Amino acid sequence: MTQTISRIARLHLPLALYLLFTLIPFYWMLVFALRPPGNTSLVPWPITFEHFDTVWNGVGFGLFFQNSLIIGIGTLVTVTIFALMGGYALARFRFKGQRVFLLALLCTQFIPGAMMLIPLFVIFKNTGLLNSLTGLVIADTAFQLPLALILMSGFVRNVPVELEEAAMVDGCTRLRAFFAVTLPQLRPALVAVGSFAFIGAWNNFLF
């Protein structure tokens, strides 16, 4: 019994101290957010939401949040659709230069986004997309799509092609076999690719 308590103390006490150290900044942030102006106590009492109202309505944070949400969801939908189509083509068909194309997709991840600011600015200015949410969705899609294509093609390869062939033997077209057999197996892939695209667009404050 004593050895068990000693082992638990050696394991859990350092973890508890580390957890306390980690949560202190969050608690401090919560105190500043909820305590009234001029209150310097360490406990947020009485609780007020005045600061949230000031930030949301006073400085326009609500509009900023709405724009970020539109850009993130737009990028998520666009990247997921194109990655699904392109990833399926890369996984199921063979064409000349396929490996070179995949290598080029991979190499795009080494290009810093800051290098593309001036070219994108010129392109969007000439096409009338400057200072628009649509332009940001297109830009974020262009940067998120290569990795999404690579990930989606890997997920599609993990779905046995024999399942589609069996469906086509039963009379399905390739498109019908894709929607009936392959697409349900790709739900985790859609969640993963969509999450990466949304987070990438949400954090892309530079653009």
Side-chain angles (χ1 to χ4, degrees):
M1 183 67 178
T2 304
Q3 293 180 350
T4 303
I5 296 176
S6 176
R7 186 170 61 254
I8 293 175
R10 288 198 306 269
L11 176 63
H12 290 81
L13 184 59
L15 290 176
L17 293 176
Y18 177 74
L19 180 63
L20 180 63
F21 176 77
T22 305
L23 292 179
I24 284 177
F26 292 96
Y27 177 75
W28 197 245
M29 180 175 60
L30 191 66
V31 168
F32 273 94
L34 296 179
R35 72 185 183 186
N39 191 335
T40 59
S41 65
L42 298 179
V43 179
W45 190 263
I47 293 176
T48 179
F49 295 97
E50 177 183 348
H51 305 301
F52 292 94
D53 181 68
T54 300
V55 170
W56 191 267
N57 298 315
V59 300
F61 183 79
L63 178 61
F64 306 151
F65 182 82
Q66 175 184 326
N67 290 341
S68 297
L69 200 61
I70 293 173
I71 295 168
I73 294 177
T75 304
L76 182 154
V77 173
T78 309
V79 168
T80 302
I81 292 175
F82 282 102
L84 183 61
M85 295 187 296
Y88 180 84
L90 289 172
R92 290 290 188 256
F93 301 103
R94 296 292 178 264
F95 54 89
K96 187 177 181 179
Q98 184 176 23
R99 292 187 177 182
V100 177
F101 179 71
L102 288 171
L103 181 62
L105 287 177
L106 185 61
C107 289
T108 60
Q109 302 305 302
F110 303 120
I111 301 176
M115 289 181 58
M116 305 302 296
L117 286 178
I118 295 177
L120 284 175
F121 179 85
V122 175
I123 292 172
F124 289 160
K125 182 179 180 181
N126 293 334
T127 55
L129 293 174
L130 198 63
N131 197 29
S132 68
L133 299 183
T134 304
L136 281 173
V137 170
I138 294 174
D140 285 327
T141 300
F143 277 87
Q144 301 298 326
L145 190 56
L147 179 60
L149 282 171
I150 295 173
L151 292 175
M152 187 62 73
S153 64
F155 280 112
V156 174
R157 287 191 185 95
N158 289 329
V159 179
V161 68
E162 291 80 9
L163 296 177
E164 292 182 25
E165 293 173 348
M168 287 187 283
V169 168
D170 288 339
C172 291
T173 62
R174 178 177 288 274
L175 184 62
R176 174 61 180 168
F178 169 77
F179 281 106
V181 177
T182 306
L183 187 59
Q185 305 295 323
L186 295 176
R187 282 178 292 187
L190 296 176
V191 173
V193 170
S195 299
F196 278 117
F198 181 84
I199 293 173
W202 184 271
N203 292 330
N204 196 5
F205 179 72
L206 179 65
F207 278 27

